Amino acid sequence: MEKIDNKSNILTKREFLKRGILVFYGLTGLPLFLNYDFLETIDKSRVIVMRSKNATEDNEINGMVVQKILNESLKELTDQPTVKDAWLKIIPNLDEKDTIGIKINTGMGKAIPTQPKLIKAITSSLIALGLNSNHLIIYDMWGKNLIDAGYILNKSTEGVRCIGNDNKDWGYDQKNYVQAIDKKVALSKILLHCDHLINVPVLRVHMPPYGVTLSMKNHFGNLERPQEFHDDYFIKGCTALNNHPAIKEKQRINIIDCLYGFWGSVKTRFVRDFVYNGLIISKDPVAADYMGARILNEERARHDRPPQSVPLLDTAAEAGLGTNDPDKMKIKNLLL
């Protein structure tokens, strides 16, 4: 792998804390067994951006390359030698009886969805841990959109499940809802059923006030009536949604599908309008979305378009959902 960018450190409270720990050990005379890399990342949200020019070719995805990008990204994120060790650090209390929900984005059907070959890479690496494949549930709002995007629905007791929230056996729990201002919206029963959550959105701009559709907005697919949180309700609604225990306490990682992206070349619909050939991976949804928005705005600049404003990032950071301050991130941009 080739490291192509890394933000330099500045003196902040984490540097102050690091120096304080070193001074403490110096004064006590105790041996310093602390890992310097750990001290270097105190209070920093890790973000891995990994790309390979071989991930796609002629509008086709190379599944083997995508698997390698995923595997190497997970190891980089966690500083672990194997993919198994990486997953066990991301989900430290994983039990073989646990159910893992994989929330994807197929809202635009086949136009620019979370790619099935990326989800195959994720499920394959989880099954390799020894998990029962039936304990993995790929899901989004509508079964029809899942099919249009190339997924095969499966609600059986065999194999990886793939289910729409509109499935009559699942649906939405009217006793569990998200409230923002005067709006209450019920949550997906699939989300509530899962022990752990993996969030896999796509790289896409959106009209104001949304700015982008990335990790945080992807959870609108967990709502019975997401339109209730649109327009003037969006920022508070999306923040409240991501702050709900069903998401905040279960979400283990955000993997943004950046194989293709939509920078906004067409106003009336979503399309693939650029190839990025990569993934963004972070445990911090705000940091992941900051990085996704930066990539989208860089692409917009190449086409002489103004940047998309994403006010949600400030509100989400203030709510404690993560950071949108690059000085509080450890960003690695890597080529495979």
Side-chain angles (χ1 to χ4, degrees):
M1 284 176 291
E2 179 186 351
K3 187 175 180 181
I4 59 175
D5 182 42
N6 194 11
K7 193 169 182 66
S8 61
N9 295 319
I10 61 172
L11 182 60
T12 63
K13 71 173 184 179
R14 62 183 169 276
E15 181 67 22
F16 177 80
L17 177 58
K18 180 179 73 178
R19 293 182 181 183
I21 293 172
L22 293 173
V23 169
F24 168 77
Y25 273 81
L27 291 174
T28 60
L30 295 174
L32 180 57
F33 293 119
L34 293 177
N35 183 297
Y36 185 82
D37 288 339
F38 167 75
L39 293 174
E40 197 63 42
T41 58
I42 288 175
D43 286 342
K44 281 193 174 184
S45 290
R46 290 189 170 205
V47 182
I48 305 300
V49 183
M50 190 173 293
R51 306 170 71 185
S52 170
K53 65 180 181 180
N54 299 316
T56 65
E57 183 177 358
D58 296 330
N59 225 23
E60 291 293 325
I61 295 171
N62 187 323
M64 292 180 64
V65 175
V66 171
Q67 184 77 68
K68 190 169 183 180
I69 295 172
L70 174 70
N71 292 350
E72 295 303 317
S73 296
L74 293 172
K75 291 189 289 183
E76 284 285 344
L77 182 73
T78 59
D79 286 332
Q80 296 300 305
T82 69
V83 177
K84 178 179 180 179
D85 291 332
W87 275 121
L88 293 179
K89 189 168 183 180
I90 292 165
I91 314 176
N93 298 316
L94 183 62
D95 187 278
E96 62 180 10
K97 296 179 182 179
D98 289 350
T99 299
I100 300 177
I102 304 172
K103 172 63 180 72
I104 64 175
N105 191 317
T106 58
M108 298 301 114
K110 62 183 178 181
I112 181 168
T114 305
Q115 296 297 322
K117 287 185 179 179
L118 170 57
I119 298 303
K120 176 65 175 176
I122 294 170
T123 57
S124 295
S125 66
L126 290 169
I127 292 168
L129 299 179
L131 293 174
N132 183 332
S133 61
N134 202 239
H135 291 188
L136 306 179
I137 305 178
I138 302 163
Y139 77 103
D140 201 8
M141 289 191 71
W142 300 293
K144 181 183 183 301
N145 280 18
L146 285 162
I147 294 170
D148 288 346
Y151 293 89
I152 299 173
L153 299 184
N154 176 30
K155 63 175 184 177
S156 75
T157 57
E158 298 292 332
V160 176
R161 284 181 279 179
C162 183
I163 308 170
N165 284 327
D166 57 349
N167 183 283
K168 63 182 179 61
D169 296 326
W170 289 91
Y172 300 88
D173 189 335
Q174 302 301 325
K175 295 180 181 179
N176 285 280
Y177 57 83
V178 178
Q179 181 168 0
I181 313 176
D182 58 343
K183 302 277 189 179
K184 288 184 180 181
V185 187
L187 281 169
S188 159
K189 288 184 180 179
I190 299 174
L191 168 66
L192 297 168
H193 172 75
C194 295
D195 300 290
H196 310 285
L197 181 64
I198 297 173
N199 188 17
V200 196
V202 294
L203 186 67
R204 209 167 72 193
V205 301
H206 206 297
M207 67 187 78
Y210 317 110
V212 295
T213 295
L214 296 167
S215 303
M216 288 183 286
K217 189 175 182 297
N218 191 39
H219 287 305
F220 269 42
N222 280 309
L223 295 173
E224 182 179 24
R225 300 183 314 279
Q227 64 272 20
E228 295 288 333
F229 284 168
H230 284 184
D231 302 321
D232 293 342
Y233 287 85
F234 170 67
I235 293 176
K236 289 187 178 180
C238 194
T239 302
L241 173 60
N242 282 268
N243 226 347
H244 193 283
I247 292 174
K248 188 175 182 179
E249 295 177 9
K250 293 182 180 184
Q251 185 163 272
R252 308 299 176 224
I253 193 167
N254 304 275
I255 302 173
I256 302 180
D257 180 348
C258 304
L259 296 169
Y260 301 104
F262 172 63
W263 61 262
S265 60
V266 182
K267 291 185 178 181
T268 55
R269 67 185 190 280
F270 293 100
V271 297
R272 296 179 184 178
D273 57 15
F274 76 106
V275 179
Y276 195 73
N277 282 328
L279 303 176
I280 299 171
I281 297 187
S282 182
K283 297 185 74 172
D284 180 335
V286 184
D289 285 8
Y290 164 85
M291 198 65 210
R294 195 166 91 177
I295 290 169
L296 287 166
N297 281 331
E298 287 171 354
E299 189 65 26
R300 287 177 64 80
R302 292 187 187 98
H303 297 273
D304 297 320
R305 298 292 179 87
Q308 289 287 92
S309 174
V310 191
L312 170 63
L313 296 179
D314 289 329
T315 303
E318 290 168 4
L321 293 173
T323 183
N324 64 332
D325 181 352
D327 291 329
K328 294 180 180 178
M329 302 176 197
K330 185 175 183 180
I331 300 170
K332 284 189 177 181
N333 284 277
L334 303 167
L335 289 175
L336 187 63

